[in-house]
Amino acid sequence: MFRLQGSKVLAVDMTGDAVKAKNGSMVAYDGQMDFKKLSGGGEGLRGMVTRRITGEQMTLMEVKGHGTCWFADRASEINLVALQGDKLYVESSNLLATDSGLRTGTSFTGMRGATQGNGLFTTTIEGHGQAAIMSDGPAVVLRVSGQYPLTVDPGAYVAHQGNLRQSFQSGVTFRTFMGEGGGEAFQVRFEGDGLVYVQPSERNTIAGDV
């Protein structure tokens, strides 16, 4: 149902089914479509409670109908992720769309909330289906194994999936090394077995500082 037209536009072919997408990301459609605004953070009463507690600010819309709908957001690169019953963790600002077979929620991630505009919680997507995530520049998918843990700058982190443990550690980033940051810098460390998606451009952070 999901396909890319170029690298920055997502086309979704629908035959009466629905897709959830970032509010305002629809750029064109043909056929007959209905649009409904949703609140992010999860479905149902539990999702409402979670959003109130976490302050998750993801806003989604549901698009349902027959035809093709095209989505894009600020010329960001779009990456398709196929889920087979597993769970994807993604920064809410990097989520573009999910199909109807996937559930969304929130998960506590700790100190990465120092990233400007992102709370202490990350959006979760799980089930069977496709998700479209965005990155500033083409995303790179890095493998984490037991032998090779991975350390990521929080400003470059986009998403991760698999059996990964996440921790936060102090350290010197390139920006603090070059004298562009202040305070105590931190990095995100992943251990276990899975995949981490990073972008070649860092979102605005407090210089990765806590």
Side-chain angles (χ1 to χ4, degrees):
M1 189 170 65
F2 284 15
R3 55 189 171 87
L4 294 180
Q5 292 199 210
S7 62
K8 300 179 180 180
V9 177
L10 171 69
V12 182
D13 300 314
M14 286 180 276
T15 56
D17 40 0
V19 62
K20 288 181 288 187
K22 183 175 182 178
N23 197 44
S25 63
M26 188 275 295
V27 294
Y29 71 91
D30 62 22
Q32 183 64 42
M33 299 289 171
D34 293 318
F35 299 86
K36 180 172 68 174
K37 187 175 181 180
L38 304 173
S39 294
E43 292 111 2
L45 180 61
R46 184 169 178 269
M48 292 176 63
V49 173
T50 301
R51 289 192 298 276
R52 179 167 295 180
I53 293 173
T54 65
E56 180 77 8
Q57 296 299 309
M58 179 177 63
T59 304
L60 297 174
M61 61 181 178
E62 181 183 76
V63 184
K64 186 175 183 179
H66 293 78
T68 300
C69 199
W70 289 269
F71 301 93
D73 186 55
R74 294 172 295 177
S76 298
E77 297 282 337
I78 301 172
N79 313 271
L80 298 183
V81 180
L83 298 178
Q84 303 294 332
D86 49 334
K87 183 181 290 188
L88 176 72
Y89 298 81
V90 57
E91 290 288 357
S92 59
S93 60
N94 293 94
L95 176 61
L96 178 63
T98 67
D99 69 27
S100 57
L102 296 175
R103 301 180 302 277
T104 58
T106 53
S107 176
F108 179 72
T109 58
M111 290 167 49
R112 197 172 67 245
T115 302
Q116 185 178 0
N118 292 273
L120 294 175
F121 292 76
T122 288
T123 297
T124 60
I125 305 167
E126 59 184 320
H128 292 79
Q130 282 186 300
I133 60 177
M134 299 179 293
S135 56
D136 187 359
V140 177
V141 184
L142 303 175
R143 164 69 66 178
V144 181
S145 66
Q147 188 177 1
Y148 295 101
L150 181 70
T151 302
V152 177
D153 186 297
Y157 169 83
V158 173
H160 73 273
Q161 65 185 125
N163 185 22
L164 292 176
R165 299 181 304 279
Q166 192 176 4
S167 61
F168 301 86
Q169 60 185 26
S170 300
V172 177
T173 66
F174 285 117
R175 280 175 293 177
T176 55
F177 182 75
M178 296 299 291
E180 297 179 6
E184 184 180 8
F186 73 99
Q187 301 158 337
V188 188
R189 181 180 174 88
F190 294 93
E191 298 176 89
D193 183 39
L195 302 174
V196 178
Y197 299 77
V198 298
Q199 60 187 9
S201 174
E202 295 170 317
R203 68 176 65 81
N204 290 329
T205 67
I206 311 171
D209 302 336
V210 180

